[in-house]
Amino acid sequence: MAVTTNYKPKFDSNNVKDFGPARIEHRTAASELTQLGTYLMTFDGTEFSDPWTVQYEETIYVIEGQARFVVINGENEESLVGDPDELLVLPKGTTVQYGALPGTRLLLSIAPVNWRDAGV
């Protein structure tokens, strides 16, 4: 059986979606990864996304700019700021609003990437 692993996934505009004030690209969409998904996110504005409760474990590496998230826990809101070369962690079940300075670039990894199919 031949393995057709894509070791160096390339940009594909079909894998880019708008996400509130940002664009997010699922870079590993065409790879054979079944548990881990890697995304690149670029912010154009200073607004925040709608609140989202993550259904997976997520790490966010700040490539450039400044990430500015709001973590929501019931009635409490906490600011989470990430500067270049910092890693942010969002455990499964975290409710967050994603935001950043314009031009900010983030690398996101989530597991499991197939959370929708897994009935999570």
Side-chain angles (χ1 to χ4, degrees):
M1 178 165 129
V3 176
T4 59
T5 304
N6 184 350
Y7 290 107
K8 194 172 179 180
K10 294 185 172 43
F11 173 80
D12 181 346
S13 62
N14 292 318
N15 296 324
V16 177
K17 294 186 170 55
D18 289 331
F19 184 81
R23 289 180 320 282
I24 188 164
E25 175 205 353
H26 185 177
R27 181 60 64 101
T28 56
S31 73
E32 293 183 18
L33 295 178
T34 60
Q35 295 299 309
L36 179 68
T38 302
Y39 299 77
L40 293 166
M41 186 179 238
T42 305
F43 285 80
D44 296 322
T46 58
E47 305 84 26
F48 287 89
S49 69
D50 290 336
W52 168 250
T53 301
V54 296
Q55 304 298 309
Y56 36 76
E57 294 178 336
E58 181 172 6
T59 61
I60 302 141
Y61 177 76
V62 182
I63 299 169
E64 65 181 333
Q66 186 180 69
R68 296 179 172 178
F69 298 168
V70 176
V71 177
I72 303 165
N73 186 2
E75 297 294 319
N76 298 320
E77 294 185 356
E78 179 182 343
S79 294
L80 178 61
V81 176
D83 292 312
D85 293 328
E86 289 189 324
L87 185 69
L88 307 174
V89 175
L90 298 177
K92 180 179 177 180
T94 302
T95 300
V96 63
Q97 289 180 278
Y98 298 82
L101 294 177
T104 296
R105 294 180 59 232
L106 308 175
L107 178 74
L108 295 80
S109 293
I110 70 168
V113 69
N114 60 350
W115 60 274
R116 286 186 178 131
D117 300 333
V120 176

